[in-house]
Amino acid sequence: MDTWLWIVLVVAAIVVIGVILWSVGRTRRSRRLREGFGPEYDRTVDQTGSRREAESALVERQERREELEIRSLSPAAHDRYSSAWAATQARFVDDPAGAVSEADRLVRDVMEDRGYPTGDFEERSDLVSVDHPRLVEDYRAGHAISLASSRDEASTEDLRQAMKHYRSLFEDLLETDRVEAS
């Protein structure tokens, strides 16, 4: 009987240790995802209604992103896009809706040149959230205003905000800081 008691105690201890290790692992994973995705973590939890589903979705995004070959722009492409952005901003004065539409297209073009898929907006924003988690909300907001503008439902102030949203992601995608430092 003593042998059986020891066996049960050892098995129980192994189970308790396993549960503790599993719990610590999940807590670390949650913390890593929350820190890595920032506000996108909370948005995904709200959207899915479940922390577990949200974390699975975020890990899936990371895995899809790792399959992509994201590259920096060539100096010539960087300069071309910078010039195009300057022209788009200048166009805003005379044609705010057209400038926002062009800004949306420029962001998509830069993403394509860098190696992101450019088909579906949700897929683009999900994958961009892996590398640019603090700016993906700007991208979503800019895109929503662009869509509202195409239905003539956006004010000039809305369009100005869209340009600001697009610019923040555009500059990050261009890696302007990296280019200026070199």
Side-chain angles (χ1 to χ4, degrees), residues 37 57-72 114-117 123-132 173 175:
F37 279 95
L58 293 172
V59 167
E60 180 184 319
R61 283 184 201 180
Q62 288 175 325
E63 291 169 353
R64 285 190 343 248
R65 165 51 188 91
E66 287 172 13
E67 294 173 2
L68 301 175
E69 188 177 319
I70 304 301
R71 57 200 167 272
S72 295
R114 298 259 341 256
Y116 290 97
E123 179 185 21
R124 281 194 315 267
S125 61
D126 283 353
L127 292 172
V128 163
S129 75
V130 176
D131 295 325
H132 307 278
L173 286 168
E175 300 177 314

Side-chain angles (χ1 to χ4, degrees), residues 85 89 92 100 103 135 138-139 142 145 157-171:
W85 184 262
Q89 283 188 298
F92 185 83
V100 167
L135 297 174
D138 282 344
Y139 185 39
I145 294 168
E157 177 58 23
D158 293 334
L159 296 170
R160 188 182 74 74
Q161 287 299 318
M163 288 297 289
K164 288 176 66 176
H165 292 312
Y166 279 127
R167 183 179 61 223
S168 62
L169 179 60
F170 184 81
E171 289 175 350

